[in-house]
Amino acid sequence: MTQTLIFGLTGAALIALGFYGFVSHRHLLRQIVAFNLIGSGLFLLFGALARRAPDGTSDPVPQAMIITGIVVSFAATALAEAIAERLHDRTGRPSLPDLDPDDDD
Amino acid sequence: MIADVITVTLISIGLFFFIAGTAGFIRFPDVHSRLHALTKADNLGLGFVVLGVVAQADSGWSVLKLLLVWLLALTAAATTAQLIARFALPPGERP
Amino acid sequence: MAKSPVKRFALLFALWLVLSQGRLDGVVFGAAAAAGAAWFSAAMSSAIGPRFGLLSLLRLAPGFFWRSLVGGLDVAWRALQPRMPLNPGWTAYSCRLPGGAMRVALGGELSLMPGTLVAGSDGDRLLVHCLDIGGPVEEALRAEEDRLEAAIVP
Amino acid sequence: MTLGDAFDILLCLLILTAAAGVIGGRDLFGSVALFIVYGLLLTIAWVRLGAVDVALAEGAIGAGLTGVLLLGAAAKMDDGAGQRPSFRPGALLLCAGVAGGLGWAVVSLAQPAAGLIPLVRENLPVAGADNPVTAVLLNFRGWDTLMEAAVLLIALVGVWALSPEDSWGGRSGLTQRVRVDGVLGTFGRFLPPIGFVVGVYLVWVGTSAPGGAFQGGTVVAAVWLLAIMAGVVEPPPVASIRLRLLLMAGPAVFLATGIWGFAAGAFMAFDPAYAKPLILAVELVLALSIAATLALLVIGRPRRPQ
């Protein structure tokens, strides 16, 4: 049970941290990295909750879903990175333009 | 029991080398000197940790497998050290 | 690595046996994987001419491990000393071993030996970074190359 | 508090420190490098949680492949100007709320619960794999894994679709300038055969111990990438039919066995008598397709005309 608490709370903190990084950065690559923090935090929280069996084993079903999640999250990261890089090639900027033209960056 | 004592001793020696390597990494003045510390000390650290685990192995195959892990890590470290050292040369000196 | 495809296959299959800890129910997969890998390895190989003998290399192993232990102790001692005795510098070492696997092996070995780190080569000269440039560097490099050269089979 | 708990707490503090450094660090390259360290620390966390399969996936994909991908992107997109996260009190408050809510959920859920363990244990003898995680991935929840293979393919199609008109169908990645007899050129010939055997081993052992198609496929993808970066092999042009067949083979074989499942009663149902060889066959082909897909996702869109 202690492990569920320790790693579960860490996962919760990582999600929040990643979320804050996502909204407070403008550089697309930094946002992609923050998105990965959210993802891994979620997996950790899920994995911590999978370790509640009285005999101390880990539930294999969440484990399998987390492995799926890690791979899908990599696919999403690769696609996002390719889009960001293409934007950078075309505009020379690593971030999305602002709606308000006076408030550059 | 004897195996446990051997394991604890060897892994402690391994940890000492990891700490020494990290100290060198932090204290040494330039990239290349730091690479010395990381490559040599960390490999030795891993080597002693592997030997410590070997003392707990249940079969000859496990021993071989553990040594293989070390050998591959050794090869990778010796190679990446050369690659990083070369990349860290100032552009003018890079052949 | 060995030159003939059969030897490559044998080495890679031995790798499989070690990984699977001698389990016999997977040897078919192991043989197939080793065959595929040996084919790739033979097709990509650029090594022509002299090469290392496996047994000769094994004979070098004890000395190698001993000197890498000295190398680790040396760097650990320097790192943990309060006054940190360092006298770093560069030297260019004229290498007799041919480029490719041999020179890379020498470079990797030297990078684990006391006080030397190889940063690629410039023509036939290895660029060696030394922790103590005042020491007998040239002799140590020469001795290491001699040992490796002795492991070459024609 | 036991020694194990103390270790877990220390590990979690390290993880959180690394994550804070990833978000708060100025230097883009440093931040990405720290993200790899963070991934490796997470790998240890998964081992501590008794989830070795997840640890392998996190180490290989979460830290390794994602790290290579992001380092490559950082080298291209780093404008040298550091970025600090802007201070947003509203967002900070919201995030604190998210952390609090999730934390409360964790605390209230932290009671013994067997979950699906009894169900998995009961059905394991007919699953065709002794490793419960593989049994879930390939048999009980085979649907998810099939979809996942499809998601990988779709992401790759998306990446390819970003290529400009003139390089469509060409090779991904840039021409490598590597000396054949140099360090990288030599290592790029030495390691791939070894990595290939290790990758196949991980797939094969996955039915009875931690490992499987994703972990093994990632190792093969990694050594393929090494061979490409070392200039030993060229990345295939994306218009190549053989490449496309390789990418399709895994999902196609998986789908075919799923349809064959109708013979045993339902889509994706494995007849227990054939389950073991079927799972191994699907995993081996799937691993090769996954390896190709992952490697191509890392090297990105086509850049050179056909």
Side-chain angles (χ1 to χ4, degrees):
Chain A
M1 254 2 70
T2 341
Q3 279 204 319
T4 303
L5 276 179
I6 297 171
F7 288 102
L9 292 176
T10 305
L14 287 175
I15 296 169
L17 198 62
F19 193 42
Y20 184 74
F22 192 78
V23 293
S24 63
H25 273 295
R26 294 302 313 274
H27 196 292
L28 285 169
L29 219 48
R30 304 291 299 243
Q31 290 188 311
I32 294 172
V33 174
F35 159 82
N36 269 285
L37 280 191
I38 304 177
S40 50
L42 265 170
F43 300 144
L44 195 61
L45 196 153
F46 194 18
L49 289 178
R51 202 164 168 72
R52 289 179 299 158
D55 59 353
T57 51
S58 264
D59 193 339
V61 179
Q63 284 188 53
M65 294 171 83
I66 291 165
I67 292 174
T68 311
I70 288 174
V71 177
V72 169
S73 146
F74 170 74
T77 304
L79 184 56
E81 188 273 323
I83 294 172
E85 208 184 299
R86 189 83 168 92
L87 182 88
H88 182 253
D89 284 358
R90 296 223 23 171
T91 65
R93 299 170 52 122
S95 55
L96 290 173
D98 274 295
L99 288 176
D100 181 2
D102 297 330
D103 181 27
D104 205 40
D105 217 342
Chain B
M1 184 58 207
I2 296 172
D4 288 353
V5 173
I6 295 174
T7 301
V8 169
T9 314
L10 286 172
I11 291 186
S12 303
I13 298 175
L15 284 180
F16 163 77
F17 279 111
F18 275 117
I19 291 168
T22 312
F25 179 65
I26 295 168
R27 295 184 69 205
F28 282 177
D30 58 285
V31 185
H32 292 95
S33 300
R34 288 175 181 177
L35 263 179
H36 279 276
L38 279 190
T39 318
K40 299 192 225 307
D42 283 12
N43 266 311
L44 222 48
L46 181 64
F48 277 104
V49 170
V50 164
L51 287 180
V53 181
V54 161
Q56 304 283 329
D58 47 9
S59 74
W61 288 112
S62 309
V63 175
L64 284 177
K65 201 170 176 177
L66 284 164
L67 292 179
L68 178 72
V69 169
W70 185 20
L71 213 60
L72 283 177
L74 206 71
T75 314
T79 311
T80 41
Q82 293 185 71
L83 288 174
I84 298 173
R86 184 184 161 83
F87 193 76
L89 289 172
E93 285 181 40
R94 214 177 295 169
Chain C
M1 206 177 264
K3 196 150 98 183
S4 83
V6 182
K7 272 191 194 159
R8 282 171 209 263
F9 171 79
L11 283 173
L12 290 163
F13 188 64
L15 169 71
W16 173 276
L17 284 180
V18 171
L19 287 173
S20 63
Q21 312 212 329
R23 266 172 64 180
L24 289 177
D25 51 339
V27 287
V28 181
F29 299 102
W39 170 79
F40 173 87
S41 165
M44 292 306 141
S45 167
S46 62
I48 323 154
R51 64 206 158 81
F52 291 126
L54 205 59
L55 285 175
S56 329
L57 279 184
L58 278 179
R59 263 199 296 278
L60 288 182
F64 164 74
F65 284 120
W66 170 250
R67 284 190 302 283
S68 66
L69 180 68
V70 175
L73 282 169
D74 171 69
V75 85
W77 175 76
R78 287 176 204 271
L80 295 175
Q81 282 259 318
R83 49 178 198 87
M84 216 165 56
L86 282 185
N87 181 18
W90 289 92
T91 180
Y93 173 72
S94 301
C95 186
R96 296 191 308 274
L97 286 172
M102 296 202 165
R103 200 172 289 172
V104 174
L106 177 66
E109 198 187 353
L110 285 176
S111 301
L112 295 169
M113 296 296 114
T116 50
L117 177 80
V118 174
S121 54
D122 179 12
D124 278 336
R125 295 180 314 139
L126 283 185
L127 296 175
V128 186
H129 183 260
C130 309
L131 279 184
D132 181 9
I133 193 72
V137 178
E138 187 80 15
E139 289 82 347
L141 295 174
R142 176 105 25 230
E144 207 57 58
E145 191 181 18
D146 287 346
R147 270 189 289 266
L148 258 191
E149 205 172 34
I152 294 180
V153 293
Chain D
M1 195 170 71
T2 65
L3 209 59
D5 292 341
F7 179 85
D8 288 345
I9 290 171
L10 191 67
L11 178 62
C12 283
L13 287 177
L14 274 176
I15 290 174
L16 288 171
T17 313
V22 169
I23 296 296
R26 263 189 82 76
D27 173 36
L28 175 63
F29 196 81
S31 174
V32 170
L34 198 56
F35 176 76
I36 299 173
V37 175
Y38 163 83
L40 293 175
L41 290 170
L42 267 187
T43 305
I44 303 175
W46 286 115
V47 174
R48 288 291 304 161
L49 283 168
V52 182
D53 291 271
V54 183
L56 286 172
E58 173 63 39
I61 304 172
L65 278 190
T66 311
V68 174
L69 180 80
L70 291 173
L71 279 179
K76 287 176 204 136
M77 289 173 64
D78 199 350
D79 47 7
Q83 314 90 25
R84 279 252 177 250
S86 51
F87 178 65
R88 292 168 182 257
L92 203 61
L93 212 63
L94 194 70
C95 292
V98 168
L102 288 170
W104 176 76
V106 168
V107 171
S108 65
L109 281 171
Q111 300 143 17
L116 294 166
I117 294 174
L119 206 59
V120 170
R121 210 164 272 167
E122 192 183 313
N123 287 295
L124 202 54
V126 293
D130 307 324
N131 176 7
V133 179
T134 302
V136 174
L137 271 175
L138 269 293
N139 197 336
F140 305 151
R141 299 286 307 171
W143 274 92
D144 291 348
T145 312
L146 181 59
M147 291 300 166
E148 175 189 13
V151 165
L152 272 184
L153 265 187
I154 292 167
L156 184 60
V157 172
V159 169
W160 285 357
L162 289 162
S163 69
E165 198 64 38
D166 62 341
S167 49
W168 168 251
R171 295 179 195 276
S172 304
L174 303 167
T175 316
Q176 302 292 332
R177 286 201 193 91
V178 181
R179 277 196 327 204
V180 176
D181 61 350
V183 177
L184 191 55
T186 305
F187 199 52
R189 286 175 173 76
F190 172 76
L191 197 65
I194 296 173
F196 183 73
V197 173
V198 173
V200 175
Y201 163 75
L202 271 175
V203 180
W204 169 76
V205 84
T207 54
S208 57
F214 292 103
Q215 294 89 342
T218 312
V219 173
V220 176
V223 289
W224 193 25
L225 283 171
L226 173 66
I228 289 174
M229 288 172 185
V232 178
V233 292
E234 279 268 36
V238 304
S240 152
I241 296 293
R242 281 201 306 188
L243 174 71
R244 293 183 179 188
L245 284 177
L246 175 64
L247 295 172
M248 295 282 303
V253 170
F254 203 178
L255 193 62
T257 55
I259 292 170
W260 193 35
F262 279 119
F267 182 60
M268 304 287 312
F270 286 158
D271 185 340
Y274 302 110
K276 187 148 197 160
L278 266 185
I279 284 183
L280 201 54
V282 169
E283 281 224 283
L284 280 169
V285 184
L286 196 60
L288 289 180
S289 293
I290 288 171
T293 317
L294 291 176
L296 290 171
L297 276 173
V298 170
I299 54 178
R301 66 181 157 84
R303 282 164 216 279
R304 284 181 271 165
Q306 204 176 354

